[in-house]
Structure formats: C-alpha cells, structure tokens
Amino acid sequence: MSTTMISDDLEGGRSDDIQLQRAHRQGRLWDMDQRIDQPLGVEADHVKSMYTNKAVTLGAIMHLAYQSLGVVYGDLGTSPLYVFKSTFANVAVTEKQDIIGALSLIIYTLTIIPLIKYVFIVLRANDNGEGGSFALYSLLCRYCNISLLPNQHPTDVELTTYLVDHANQKTYLQRKLEGSPSLQKVLLLIVLLGTCMVIGDGILTPSISVLSSVVGIRAASSSLDTTLVTVISLVILVILFSLQRYGTATVSVVFAPIFMSWFIVLALLGCYNIIKWDKSVFQAFSPHEIIRFFTRNGSVGWENLGGIVLCMTGTEALFADLGHFSFRSIQMAFTSLVYPCLILTYLGQAAYLVGHTENVNDPFYSSLPPPLYWPIFVLATVSAMIASQAIISATFSIVKQSVALGCFPRVKIVHTSNDIAGRVYIPEINWILMGLCLVITAGFRDTNEIGNAYGIAVVVVMIITTILMTLVMIIVWRKHVLLALLFFTVFMAIEVVYLSAVLFKITQGGWVPLAIAVVFGTIMYTWHYGTLKRYQYEMQHKVSVGWLLGLGPSLGLVRVPGIGLMYTDLAHGVPPLFSHFITNLPAIHSTVVFVCIKYLPVNTVPQEERFLIRRIGTRAHSMYRCAARYGYKDIQKKDDNFEQLLIHYLTKFIEIENFREQCDLQSMAASWTPEEESVRSMPTMNSPNSSRLQRALRSNGITRAENSVGNGHLSQSCTSLAEMPTNQSVDDNSQIQLSISGSNSDIQDEVAFLNSCKEAGVVYILGNNIVKARKDSGLFKKLIVNFIYTFLRRISRDSRVVLNIPHECLLQVGMVYYV
C-alpha cells in the first residue's frame, strides 16, 4: 500500500484518474501538511549570539596595509612599465602636448576610477568584509528577494551577520526586481559576466606582467631572441603559480617588502626626472589638456585610450581582495603610498618623454639614471614577475563565493590562514589559470596584443561594478535616486568611452577575454541552471509528511538502531530520496535527521547560529529536520567534527523544547480556574502551545487518541478533546503539575535514547542522483542538461568529499531526476 501511494505521488501521470487521486489526497492531507510540515521557524532551536565588529588597533591596520602591498597593488604598481608604450603603439609622437595630454588622461583616470570610485565609495559596499561582484549580489539578495534558488526562509534574517536594515520598507526598484523573473535572470547574468571577466584578468595579468619583465631583460641583453624570451616567461609563470599553495599570508610576507621598495623607487625616480628634464608637466593637472588632446588628435586620440586604460589595471582587485585584508588597510595603503607614488612616476616619465619622444616605446628603462640602471632593473623585473598576485588572489576569492552561491562546480577550497577566513587557495583554479596563461603567453608573445585583451576585461568588470553599486545605493543604502543616478551617469560615461576604445582592438587580441567569458559563463550558468532544476524537482516530488506520520511511530518500517543523517536540498518537507529508499528497503534508523546544507547570502554564519533544528511528528517518531547554515566564505572542514556538533545541538534542542513546555505548563497551572475547564476556553489546535498541552494531557491518561500525529494537529485529536466529558477533565491543576514533575524523566529518557542511537552508529544517507531532461524537452535543454551539466557533475568534487562524510559511514541511494 505504501509503495503504491509513493509511486503515484512520484510518477505524476497525466490521466484523469490520477489527477482525481491527487486531488483527493491533497484534500485530506493538505491542511495537515501545512501545520505539520512547517519550515524551520519559531519552534526551531537556534541561539543568537552577539555579532560585533571587534575594535582594530591602528597598528593592526598598518600591518595589514603593509601586507596588502605585496598582494593587492602589484598590477597597479607595475603598469608604468607599459602604459605609455601601449598608448602610443604604432603612432609617431612629435609634439610635446601629446605627451602632456596623455599624462592628463592618466592622472584623472587614476583619480576618478581607483581613488574616488573604488577606494572612497565601492569599498564601503563590502559584505561584512568581503568584496567582489558576488559580494554585491549577496547584499542585494538579502535586501531584495531576487535569489533564483528559493531555499531561503524568513528565519534566516535573524542571523547576526544578516544585518538587514529597512527590511519592511520596499522601494519601487525592489518591488520591480522581486516581481520580474526576467530582470532577476538578467541581473544574475550580469554578475556571472563580471565573474568571468575577473577570471579573464587572472589569466591575462600574469602573462602581460611576466612578458613585460622578460622583454626588459631582452632590451638589456640583445642576445636574447623571441623564443628564449617566451621560454623564460613560461618558466617564471610555472614558479609563480606553484607558490600559490603556500597562501596569501606567506606570499605577502615575501612580496610586501619588494613592492614597498618598488613604490618608493617609483616616487624617487619620478621626482628625479621631473627635476632633471621638464617641470612643465604639472600643467597636465589642468583638465583643459584633455580637451586639447582630443581636439588635436581626433579619432587617433580616441584609439590611444586603449593604452591609457591600462593605468588602472588591477583596480578591481582592490575590491575583490578585500576579504584577504580589510577596508581600512587597503584605503590607508592606497591613499598614503600607492596613489602618490604612481602619480609621481607618471609625471617623471612624461617629463623625460617631452624631450625624448623617440623613446616612447620604452620610457621607463630609458629614463633610469645610468648608475642606478641595473639595481632598478632587477627590482623592476622581480616586481613585474610577481605583480599578478593581486588578481590571482582575487580569482580565488570570487570563485569561492560563486561555489557557495551555487554558480560554479564544486572545487577544493583550502583555507590558508587561521585568522582571516577570506584567505583561500583553490588548487583546480590555480592550475587551470596556469595552463591558460602558458597558452596565451606562448601564443601571443607580445605585450601589445595581450594588453588589448587585458583592457577589455578590465573595463567590462568596472562597468558591471558600477551597475551593481547603483542598485546597492538605492536598495541597500537607501540613497536618493538622483544621487544614485549621478553616480551611475558619471562613472558609466567614463567607462563606456574606454570600452568603445578597447573594443576597437577586438581583432588585435581583444577577442581573448570575450572567448574566456563565453566558456566560463556557459559553465557557471549551466551549473546554476542544473542546480535550480534539481531543487525544483525535489520540491515538486517531496513526500507528504502528514501521510508519512499517519503510518504510526514506526512509520510502518523496521526501525534499526542508530542515527540516519539523510542529506537533502529541501529546507522543509521529506525528499523523494527518502521514499525511494524505504520503497526498496523497508527499514530506517531509530532516529532520522533530514539535514539540509544551506549557503546563505551572507559572508559567514557564527557557529552558535549554524544549526536550525525542528522536530517532525511526536517524540515517538524520533525524526528531526536540521538546516546547517553557512556563509559563502565558510567551509566545512574535517576538524569541525560536524557529527558531534549536530548531535550536541540536537540534545540542546530537546532540552530547550522541554524547558519551554515546562514554562508553558507552569504558566497555565498558575492561571488555571474552574471556568477554564471548558473546551471552549482551551487553546485552539492551531496555536503554538496546543501540541505541548495535548502531549501533557495525553501522558496523564486524559485521552488515548493513537491516530494523533505531528504535534497533535489531527482532527481526530481535536474530536477526542472536544468530546471529553466534564468528569474526565483536569481536576484543578493537579494533572498539569504531575506532567511537569514527570517531564524531567521524559527528557532524560529521550536524551539517553539519542545517545544510545549514537553509540549504535551514525550513517550518512546521500543521494547519488542523475539529472536528465524529460523526453519531451527541446534539443537545447537536452544538450545543456544531459551533456554539459552531466559532464560538469562528473568532473566536479563529489558531494561526500565536499561534506567531509566518512567513507565507511556512507550509504548512497541512486535516483534519476527527469527535469
């Protein structure tokens, strides 16, 4: 009988008879399910801790600022090696004003985009210390119900890391986004595009940085040919990516003093060239020089923007690397050291080029003082080799966020710091980046073409950040719409102009980031699409809890000793995996816990608030639902001892539940009067206290309704209470006092039973699902689901590895999901 009912519910036939059966079952069980199968909510046990930002000393901020020099600013710091060269590539410079105009563009670009936009504005939109496009997206998802994976619940906002203000105040833009699935998909695609472009930066930056340094070696030694330069570059790249496994902290210790020296040298070199060659370059601070530059050069000046854009490469890493350091430390390092040194070095190069326009293809090395040439040459070479560390670290961070939010296949994530959770290393991504870097370096062998590709990736990421920041200003910060539009208009206008210039060079290497975006975008969207379809299938085919508990405490099965942890994506409801399991093997453990691993749009969830537990049915059923909640920078590590923590909080839940029952019964006993003996004045069966009251009454022999299920909400229980004669009613409050005195022994028995189940063994029941498109699906959907998504699942990390499930305790159940 049970098999027939489950199969009818799962097959979902389209005949009229089956539809009538469904309607009949729904009519009997729907009301009950709505009461019994509630999401994890107010009846669940969760302990709310105080989440406070600890005061950070000035010394700690300065130490982090120093460390950030070796990780965050390498790309920005080495851009003076090739900005003027890329700007005037294939263009003969004959006039001094062209140099001054280009310098003016560089100064204002560095001031408006990295300094004003990112350091003063964008960094403030961090998600509890995390940065990047997905951090902005997670902020929007918390304030606006736009997440396409509907596994959230209102109780999630009670997390101390949620930090949502104006939760009940909806703006017009919020309502528009929440009511439009199309806009939600477009927003997700924009975020995915930004992520793909950051990955593209992580591929292109090491190539152009290393090639620039090796080309400098060739300039100093004419004996090196192009082939040898390429080989040296490839070797350096392999060494660079091999160092990533040691983590950001170790890398920053090694790289920070190098870049500290590098920025000081840049400033001193700039001052030297200004004093020696031409002090008139300060007129570049006048914006009129920009107007004169475009008036004089026309379309050629517009093409020159494709090289000038390289002066702000690595700017997005300021934001994406935020989780590795802190907002204040990055702000301090940039404003006090990086920005002034960059401005001085560009002024110095321009001062030298004013009188030496013939050296426009190599202004940095040509302007070096002869006695200091080789020391600075060595420092510049080493700095350029390690400059890509910023974007590599940023790539790790943003991929970690993508994995947690269900937008990237499962990969191995290694924490490299015990103090800063944002410092991670992803081996698979590291080796993929290395392989693609080697291919691009060997294929192009020229910094100009790689620079063209690089410029497109940089500008597209900035445009996406501007779009997301505009939404954050309106929805999260609640700024006036006009202020948000001013932000959008100013920065979007500048970035679109730069984008038009770099797109002009799409045939000269600019196609590379677009190809990278297509490949990684397809991977990310396919993974998200498959994950969403799998979740929807489980929601549509979940088993009725009312029917399941109606089978009795044993569920009509053999209850074997032990605890069964059944993993599911559902935050409420019984997954089809359970029905499939008991259909083929009519036995289940004495205690069953449905575990849902939820990644919420927050950066972290405190351990005290991680587990959200609720009972399913009565104590006799010994079934629970648990949501283990994580943020996108949290990782389940083997030393977390998940099993012990879960059982600990399960015991705590039983104790708190019993304590609440005692409090309710004591308050009822204190206020009990003879007039309240009538059934009419009793709590309704829909009230939160009804289940506790009914269990207390039932335990004292007042009613013996064995068909009562799921916290006593069945109509039969209501009938037995309503028909109870007066002489069987509670005599004053003696029965309730008796229930209170006996509850302590009940909780001890239940905790002892739970411990005995634990001693018998814990088994992890995990679904080994195959997702396939339905036979009536279109060709494109079959291609996406049956081939691409299936292939990605095969090559991604297995769920048991991600969840750190002991192999000897694993029980996998195979199913096919037709979506």
Side-chain angles (χ1 to χ4, degrees):
M1 180 64 180
S2 61
T3 304
T4 303
M5 294 185 70
I6 294 174
S7 61
D8 284 346
D9 191 47
L10 291 178
E11 288 176 2
R14 299 182 179 179
S15 65
D16 294 337
D17 292 339
I18 294 179
Q19 289 180 359
L20 288 174
Q21 292 175 10
R22 279 185 171 179
H24 181 61
R25 286 199 302 272
Q26 188 179 42
R28 289 187 289 107
L29 300 175
W30 177 261
D31 292 336
M32 187 200 321
D33 274 350
Q34 296 307 299
R35 293 189 295 266
I36 297 175
D37 190 21
Q38 292 293 326
L40 292 158
V42 294
E43 297 181 7
D45 167 41
H46 70 285
V47 180
K48 191 170 184 178
S49 64
M50 294 302 294
Y51 178 83
T52 57
N53 291 322
K54 296 181 180 179
V56 181
T57 63
L58 179 61
I61 295 175
M62 293 180 66
H63 179 68
L64 284 176
Y66 170 73
Q67 285 188 328
S68 69
L69 293 176
V71 175
V72 177
Y73 304 104
D75 205 9
L76 271 169
T78 56
S79 57
L81 295 175
Y82 47 78
V83 168
F84 275 110
K85 173 187 176 183
S86 299
T87 301
F88 296 108
N90 304 320
V91 176
V93 182
T94 57
E95 296 187 18
K96 168 185 175 180
Q97 292 307 119
D98 289 340
I99 302 295
I100 300 298
L103 174 63
S104 183
L105 281 169
I106 292 172
I107 291 173
Y108 279 98
T109 298
L110 279 174
T111 303
I112 295 175
I113 303 298
L115 182 64
I116 297 177
K117 177 186 173 182
Y118 278 87
V119 174
F120 290 151
I121 301 177
V122 174
L123 288 183
R124 296 181 180 275
N126 63 85
D127 184 16
N128 293 334
E130 287 291 316
S133 55
F134 263 102
L136 294 177
Y137 183 66
S138 73
L139 273 176
L140 294 173
C141 287
R142 294 213 300 275
Y143 281 80
C144 190
N145 186 21
I146 58 176
S147 177
L148 294 179
L149 194 62
N151 67 340
Q152 314 303 325
H153 186 263
T155 56
D156 295 336
V157 302
E158 298 179 12
L159 288 171
T160 49
T161 51
Y162 227 83
L163 300 178
V164 176
D165 299 324
H166 318 291
N168 298 322
Q169 303 175 13
K170 299 288 186 180
T171 64
Y172 171 78
L173 185 58
Q174 279 178 280
R175 295 191 296 269
K176 190 71 174 176
L177 285 174
E178 291 179 348
S180 176
S182 299
L183 289 178
Q184 295 172 15
K185 292 180 180 179
V186 170
L187 184 61
L188 177 63
L189 289 174
I190 290 174
V191 174
L192 295 182
L193 177 60
T195 304
C196 294
M197 286 299 177
V198 171
I199 296 174
D201 281 354
I203 296 170
L204 295 170
T205 301
S207 300
I208 191 172
S209 298
V210 172
L211 267 179
S212 298
S213 63
V214 179
V215 167
I217 297 175
R218 185 176 65 176
S221 177
S222 58
S223 61
L224 293 179
D225 59 8
T226 303
T227 303
L228 189 56
V229 166
T230 303
V231 172
I232 295 175
S233 300
L234 298 179
V235 172
I236 294 174
L237 286 172
V238 172
I239 296 174
L240 175 64
F241 282 99
S242 299
L243 292 174
Q244 299 304 314
R245 61 187 296 268
Y246 297 104
T248 305
T250 304
V251 171
S252 63
V253 169
V254 178
F255 292 174
I258 296 175
F259 272 102
M260 183 76 172
S261 304
W262 171 247
F263 281 115
I264 293 174
V265 167
L266 287 181
L268 295 176
L269 185 62
C271 294
Y272 166 81
N273 285 327
I274 294 171
I275 295 172
K276 182 175 182 180
W277 300 111
D278 197 332
K279 300 181 182 63
S280 64
V281 292
F282 285 102
Q283 62 184 301
F285 283 98
S286 171
H288 293 292
E289 295 298 329
I290 298 177
I291 300 174
R292 296 192 186 105
F293 178 80
F294 286 114
T295 302
R296 187 169 51 254
N297 295 286
S299 61
V300 175
W302 171 71
E303 292 180 19
N304 292 149
L305 291 177
I308 291 174
V309 72
L310 298 179
C311 73
M312 56 180 178
T313 56
T315 301
E316 186 65 25
L318 292 176
F319 189 38
D321 279 333
L322 192 58
H324 293 258
F325 301 97
S326 70
F327 160 61
R328 293 297 180 189
S329 63
I330 292 179
Q331 194 176 53
M332 175 184 290
F334 187 85
T335 55
S336 63
L337 181 66
V338 177
Y339 177 76
C341 292
L342 289 176
I343 295 297
L344 284 173
T345 193
Y346 283 120
L347 286 168
Q349 287 188 31
Y352 172 79
L353 288 176
V354 165
H356 305 82
T357 55
E358 68 278 3
N359 292 329
V360 73
N361 289 327
D362 188 23
F364 180 81
Y365 291 107
S366 301
S367 63
L368 296 179
L372 300 178
Y373 180 87
W374 286 108
I376 296 178
F377 173 81
V378 172
L379 180 61
T381 302
V382 174
S383 300
M385 289 178 181
I386 62 179
S388 53
Q389 184 60 48
I391 199 64
I392 294 174
S393 300
T395 303
F396 293 155
S397 296
I398 204 165
V399 169
K400 166 68 178 72
Q401 298 171 14
S402 306
V403 171
L405 295 178
C407 294
F408 201 89
R410 297 182 296 267
V411 291
K412 182 179 181 180
I413 300 173
V414 180
H415 266 293
T416 60
S417 173
N418 294 325
D419 301 321
I420 301 178
R423 292 180 175 178
V424 295
Y425 164 69
I426 305 177
E428 293 97 326
I429 298 299
N430 184 64
W431 304 126
I432 290 174
L433 292 180
M434 187 190 75
L436 293 176
C437 280
L438 296 178
V439 171
I440 290 176
T441 303
F444 283 98
R445 303 186 180 188
D446 181 62
T447 56
N448 288 332
E449 290 191 354
I450 298 178
N452 295 336
Y454 194 19
I456 293 179
V458 169
V459 178
V460 170
V461 173
M462 290 180 176
I463 289 176
I464 290 172
T465 300
T466 299
I467 295 173
L468 295 176
M469 270 302 304
T470 303
L471 296 177
V472 168
M473 292 179 72
I474 297 174
I475 296 175
V476 180
W477 291 355
R478 298 303 173 102
K479 299 298 182 183
H480 198 280
V481 175
L482 293 179
L483 183 61
L485 288 177
L486 177 63
F487 171 87
F488 179 83
T489 303
V490 171
F491 293 108
M492 184 62 73
I494 297 172
E495 291 160 359
V496 166
V497 171
Y498 275 115
L499 180 64
S500 65
V502 294
L503 286 178
F504 179 76
K505 300 181 178 181
I506 194 169
T507 59
Q508 305 171 26
W511 58 270
V512 174
L514 300 180
I516 294 173
V518 169
V519 173
F520 280 93
T522 301
I523 292 173
M524 297 178 73
Y525 191 80
T526 299
W527 186 264
H528 183 271
Y529 177 80
T531 303
L532 179 61
K533 289 298 180 183
R534 190 176 63 184
Y535 180 84
Q536 291 174 346
Y537 178 92
E538 292 195 354
M539 284 292 295
Q540 294 166 2
H541 296 86
K542 65 180 181 178
V543 182
S544 167
V545 176
W547 168 80
L548 187 66
L549 299 182
L551 300 176
S554 66
L555 303 178
L557 306 169
V558 178
R559 302 299 289 266
V560 297
I563 298 176
L565 302 181
M566 180 166 286
Y567 283 79
T568 173
D569 290 334
L570 300 181
H572 60 91
V574 177
L577 175 68
F578 181 78
S579 64
H580 185 72
F581 176 79
I582 63 175
T583 300
N584 293 277
L585 181 64
I588 197 64
H589 297 84
S590 301
T591 298
V592 179
V593 183
F594 295 103
V595 180
C596 172
I597 303 297
K598 295 177 62 177
Y599 280 95
L600 305 180
V602 296
N603 68 329
T604 186
V605 176
Q607 184 170 298
E608 297 83 1
E609 301 176 18
R610 177 145 296 154
F611 295 97
L612 204 58
I613 300 173
R614 188 179 188 272
R615 186 187 298 278
I616 299 178
T618 63
R619 285 191 170 99
H621 290 92
S622 191
M623 297 177 66
Y624 305 89
R625 182 182 299 114
C626 171
R629 305 179 293 184
Y630 293 85
Y632 54 73
K633 78 174 186 181
D634 293 328
I635 296 179
Q636 286 181 262
K637 295 180 287 186
K638 292 183 179 180
D639 55 0
D640 282 344
N641 207 347
F642 179 84
E643 176 185 316
Q644 297 294 334
L645 285 174
L646 175 58
I647 295 176
H648 168 73
Y649 280 100
L650 192 59
T651 304
K652 194 173 182 179
F653 165 75
I654 295 172
E655 295 172 350
I656 292 179
E657 183 187 46
N658 182 75
F659 175 75
R660 288 172 177 170
E661 290 178 2
Q662 290 188 34
C663 292
D664 290 343
L665 291 172
Q666 287 174 354
S667 62
M668 290 177 60
S671 59
W672 191 273
T673 60
E675 290 79 7
E676 290 177 321
E677 291 182 2
S678 64
V679 175
R680 187 173 301 173
S681 61
M682 282 186 173
T684 64
M685 289 297 104
N686 291 327
S687 68
N689 293 325
S690 62
S691 60
R692 305 184 180 101
L693 173 62
Q694 193 172 351
R695 284 199 296 269
L697 296 175
R698 190 164 57 246
S699 65
N700 287 282
I702 296 175
T703 179
R704 297 292 183 184
E706 293 297 331
N707 290 328
S708 176
V709 298
N711 294 340
H713 287 303
L714 272 179
S715 59
Q716 289 179 333
S717 299
C718 302
T719 304
S720 62
L721 283 171
E723 295 176 352
M724 183 174 60
T726 306
N727 59 2
Q728 291 183 358
S729 62
V730 179
D731 184 14
D732 297 327
N733 62 356
S734 60
Q735 298 292 341
I736 296 181
Q737 294 293 344
L738 179 61
S739 176
I740 294 173
S741 63
S743 61
N744 290 331
S745 61
D746 291 341
I747 184 176
Q748 292 175 1
D749 292 342
E750 188 171 6
V751 172
F753 176 73
L754 182 64
N755 290 329
S756 66
C757 292
K758 174 188 172 185
E759 294 298 327
V762 178
V763 176
Y764 297 80
I765 305 173
L766 195 64
N768 186 9
N769 305 319
I770 297 176
V771 181
K772 292 185 177 181
R774 294 195 305 264
K775 293 182 179 180
D776 58 347
S777 301
L779 180 62
F780 182 73
K781 182 177 180 180
K782 289 182 178 179
L783 174 66
I784 293 293
V785 175
N786 295 349
F787 294 95
I788 301 179
Y789 181 67
T790 301
F791 173 75
L792 291 176
R793 291 193 71 192
R794 287 178 179 175
I795 64 174
S796 65
R797 301 195 86 206
D798 193 81
S799 298
R800 62 181 178 85
V801 179
V802 176
L803 298 173
N804 292 312
I805 296 176
H807 185 71
E808 64 275 9
C809 302
L810 175 64
L811 177 61
Q812 290 188 305
V813 181
M815 282 193 69
V816 178
Y817 287 2
Y818 288 98
V819 299

